[in-house]
Amino acid sequence: QVQLVESGGGLVQPGGSLRLSCAASRSIFSTYAMGWYRQAPGNQRELVAYITNGGSTNYHDSVKGRFAISRDNAKNTVYLQMNSLKPEDTAVYYCNAGLHSGGAYFNQGYWGQGTQVTVSS
């Protein structure tokens, strides 16, 4: 399995911001849509946001207006800018390569190692 490499997680106070980065190989980055998932203890892994090859974005309702996904094709890197963070955002965040079809995102089994985001005062 091709590994994606996330970075940028950490501890932040409520209302603060973090930017997550995910570096991918050129072939993976150019072929697939890219998404960010998160998983909190005791919860299922949920799709937070994704961006298609055409640049279209989609967000989970819980992060709309606060998070922004983007990509830098020259660097083969996808970002997740997280603003106005809440304690409920605390989770391990995973980068993913997937396919966009029929208005839905389907992960293709390419995952990063995960990066911990903790929002606490």
Side-chain angles (χ1 to χ4, degrees), residues 65-86:
R66 300 189 298 120
F67 291 11
I69 188 171
S70 62
R71 64 184 183 187
D72 186 332
N73 292 338
K75 296 181 178 180
N76 299 317
T77 300
V78 62
Y79 303 95
L80 185 67
Q81 179 66 46
M82 305 186 295
N83 300 320
S84 302
L85 283 162
K86 305 174 181 179

Side-chain angles (χ1 to χ4, degrees), residues 7-119:
S7 62
L11 174 64
V12 65
Q13 294 185 15
S17 298
L18 285 173
R19 188 182 73 164
L20 307 183
S21 299
C22 173
S25 67
R26 177 188 55 79
S27 60
I28 292 296
F29 195 80
S30 64
T31 299
Y32 297 101
M34 301 295 293
W36 285 97
Y37 285 77
R38 68 184 180 187
Q39 186 168 26
N43 294 97
Q44 63 181 350
R45 190 171 297 186
E46 65 179 5
L47 179 62
V48 176
Y50 67 82
I51 184 167
T52 69
N53 288 331
S56 297
T57 59
N58 188 275
Y59 300 92
H60 191 277
D61 286 343
S62 65
V63 306
K64 286 181 178 177
R66 300 189 298 120
F67 291 11
I69 188 171
S70 62
R71 64 184 183 187
D72 186 332
N73 292 338
K75 296 181 178 180
N76 299 317
T77 300
V78 62
Y79 303 95
L80 185 67
Q81 179 66 46
M82 305 186 295
N83 300 320
S84 302
L85 283 162
K86 305 174 181 179
E88 306 93 273
D89 296 318
T90 296
V92 177
Y93 285 71
Y94 298 91
C95 184
N96 175 264
L99 295 174
H100 179 254
S101 179
Y105 181 88
F106 302 89
N107 93 77
Q108 293 298 111
Y110 296 109
W111 298 96
Q113 82 286 353
T115 185
Q116 176 71 49
V117 172
T118 302
V119 185

